[in-house]
Amino acid sequence: MLVTVRRLLTALLQARKQPFQPSRDMRLVQFQAPHLEGPHLGLEAGNDGGVIDLNAFDPTLPKTMLQFLEQGEATLSVARRALTTQLPILPRSEVTFLAPVTRPDKVVCVGMNYVDHCKEQNVPVPKEPIIFSKFASSIVGPYDAVVLPPESQEVDWEVELAVVIGKKGKHIKVKWKRGLAGPTGAEAPASVPANTDHSPQNKDPHNLKICCRVNGEVVQSSNTSQMVFKTEELIAWVSRFVTLYPGDVILTGTPPGVGVFRKPPVFLKKGDEVQCEIEELGSIINKVV
């Protein structure tokens, strides 16, 4: 995930409609299209598939992911029903993907949460999570440009796995039912409900390949098994101090390979292209301007 302005996915869909083939993956997205007013909710058919319009399937559904999550199981059941129905899909050339969640109440970040990232810096592995926060306005689209701030000459790259909270909670125990999971820093194209059978091939979120490329060169390559504190532990820890709300985003830390620890240090410059990818979840691409 990029350090200053993070990514969310922006993609386009085409004009031809085809029957939607249900998959085991429930990939929830927010999107816009020229013929639609405002944001809509949809289901993405795989990493590179088209999108079905959930609001067309059921006009009573809310049109933002935040409202969708707040209504809980009632709206999730509608999305599951849509998966089993032969519905038309919008190809990717007509639609722009938005962040899976926009304007969350909180964006919680975790520092030093990869063992190999700690080794890279020659520092001890933390005994407690290192927590800091970002503003919701730092979220950008998955294919949106990253604007270099004139105040900084040291803008770095980072890829991170993000967790999106699906249910309000405080003092959450470690053995919990997960909310929505997806890659982000600002965010990935889709959110995948992790407490259902529709998780991507029921893959363990703590055993996923994670990498970042800058201009096609691999600069970060690791596995989420290197996390010091797993997602359940992070959610439990944060909920000790604040109430978590549907749509809150927890960014779970970055692996080694960031530019600041290279010798000499390397930072992003105008024209660079950053691609962040997590196994089973997909990839996002952002141009630096």
Side-chain angles (χ1 to χ4, degrees), residues 110-278:
V110 185
M112 306 298 296
N113 198 37
Y114 276 71
V115 173
D116 48 6
H117 187 38
C118 295
K119 289 179 179 177
E120 172 185 50
Q121 301 173 60
N122 197 27
V123 297
V125 173
K127 291 183 169 50
E128 295 180 344
I130 299 172
I131 302 296
F132 59 103
S133 63
K134 291 195 175 291
F135 295 107
S137 58
S138 66
I139 295 174
V140 301
Y143 298 129
D144 286 356
V146 171
V147 180
L148 292 176
E151 297 79 11
S152 176
Q153 303 302 312
E154 299 182 353
V155 178
D156 213 332
W157 56 80
E158 292 182 2
V159 57
E160 302 192 34
L161 175 74
V163 174
V164 181
I165 300 300
K167 190 175 183 180
K168 180 181 176 180
K170 193 155 192 321
H171 299 296
I172 299 168
K173 304 302 180 186
V174 171
K175 290 185 178 180
W176 54 291
K177 283 193 173 182
R178 291 191 288 273
L180 300 182
T184 138
E187 288 143 23
S191 291
V192 182
N195 61 340
T196 74
D197 291 335
H198 299 290
S199 300
Q201 300 179 7
N202 293 317
K203 189 81 173 179
D204 179 2
H206 304 115
N207 187 23
L208 300 174
K209 295 175 184 176
I210 181 171
C211 77
C212 175
R213 297 178 180 87
V214 176
N215 301 325
E217 177 188 352
V218 175
V219 291
Q220 291 182 277
S221 180
S222 186
N223 191 289
T224 56
S225 62
Q226 289 283 312
M227 281 187 188
V228 180
F229 303 101
K230 308 306 183 188
T231 53
E232 296 93 335
E233 297 172 280
L234 292 173
I235 290 174
W237 177 264
V238 173
S239 75
R240 289 171 57 184
F241 307 101
V242 297
T243 300
L244 291 171
Y245 292 100
D248 283 353
V249 177
I250 298 180
L251 302 169
T252 59
T254 194
V258 294
V260 69
F261 295 120
R262 293 171 177 262
K263 296 180 181 180
V266 179
F267 298 104
L268 292 173
K269 62 186 183 302
K270 181 180 177 180
D272 285 346
E273 183 178 87
V274 181
Q275 180 177 2
C276 296
E277 183 174 358
I278 299 180

Side-chain angles (χ1 to χ4, degrees), residues 5-44:
V5 198
R6 307 293 195 233
R7 31 200 197 235
L8 306 180
L9 267 113
T10 325
L12 300 178
L13 315 175
Q14 271 174 329
R16 195 181 73 252
K17 294 191 175 182
Q18 330 162 1
F20 176 71
Q21 299 298 324
S23 73
R24 295 190 62 207
D25 296 1
M26 182 186 291
R27 302 177 62 85
L28 295 162
V29 297
Q30 283 190 137
F31 69 95
Q32 289 180 322
H35 64 285
L36 298 174
E37 184 178 348
H40 274 230
L41 290 176
L43 290 174
E44 184 187 24

Side-chain angles (χ1 to χ4, degrees), residues 17-131:
K17 294 191 175 182
Q18 330 162 1
F20 176 71
Q21 299 298 324
S23 73
R24 295 190 62 207
D25 296 1
M26 182 186 291
R27 302 177 62 85
L28 295 162
V29 297
Q30 283 190 137
F31 69 95
Q32 289 180 322
H35 64 285
L36 298 174
E37 184 178 348
H40 274 230
L41 290 176
L43 290 174
E44 184 187 24
N47 287 338
D48 300 309
V51 172
I52 65 169
D53 186 348
L54 282 177
N55 296 114
F57 175 70
D58 186 341
T60 67
L61 283 177
K63 292 187 176 181
T64 69
M65 190 69 74
L66 202 53
Q67 294 171 323
F68 179 92
L69 295 175
E70 288 170 346
Q71 294 185 23
E73 182 59 34
T75 48
L76 268 176
S77 64
V78 175
R80 290 193 196 100
R81 195 166 69 249
L83 275 177
T84 64
T85 307
Q86 290 292 322
L87 296 169
I89 70 169
L90 297 168
R92 295 178 80 93
S93 59
E94 279 186 354
V95 174
T96 298
F97 283 122
L98 306 175
V101 179
T102 44
R103 300 181 183 177
D105 183 72
K106 287 180 282 299
V107 180
V108 180
C109 306
V110 185
M112 306 298 296
N113 198 37
Y114 276 71
V115 173
D116 48 6
H117 187 38
C118 295
K119 289 179 179 177
E120 172 185 50
Q121 301 173 60
N122 197 27
V123 297
V125 173
K127 291 183 169 50
E128 295 180 344
I130 299 172
I131 302 296

